[in-house]
């Protein structure tokens, strides 16, 4: 697999019904680091995930994509 196929698979798994799989997909985006805008948009759309752990993992990935304010807001809400 190339990086693009890997990221496409992470994107698919970010919508999985199992929150553990969504969490690890979001973590994968953090590890991969910033790539294209399409993935940043996808991550932004998952900031309202029903699972707090997934929201935090998505926020961490967004930090790497330059979306510190949106990521920080999610982290602050998770701590309250």
């Amino acid at each position: 697999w190339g990086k693009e196929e890997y990221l496409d698979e992470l994107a698919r798994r970010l919508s999985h019904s199992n929150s553990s799989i969504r969490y690890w997909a979001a973590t994968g985006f953090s590890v991969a680091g910033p790539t294209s805008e399409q993935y940043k948009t996808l991550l932004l759309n998952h900031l309202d995930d029903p699972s707090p752990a997934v929201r935090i993992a998505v926020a961490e990935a967004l930090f790497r994509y330059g979306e510190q304010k949106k990521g920080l807001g999610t982290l602050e809400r998770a701590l309250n």
Side-chain angles (χ1 to χ4, degrees), residues 6-46:
Y6 169 75
L7 293 171
D8 287 344
E9 183 62 26
L10 289 178
R12 281 189 290 280
R13 291 181 183 200
L14 201 53
S15 295
H16 198 280
S17 61
N18 184 316
S19 64
S20 295
I21 292 173
R22 294 193 312 273
Y23 169 83
W24 286 110
T27 299
F29 278 107
S30 287
V31 172
T35 58
S36 73
E37 283 293 311
Q38 84 181 57
Y39 297 117
K40 180 169 97 172
T41 301
L42 175 72
L43 289 164
L44 286 166
N45 289 335
H46 282 83

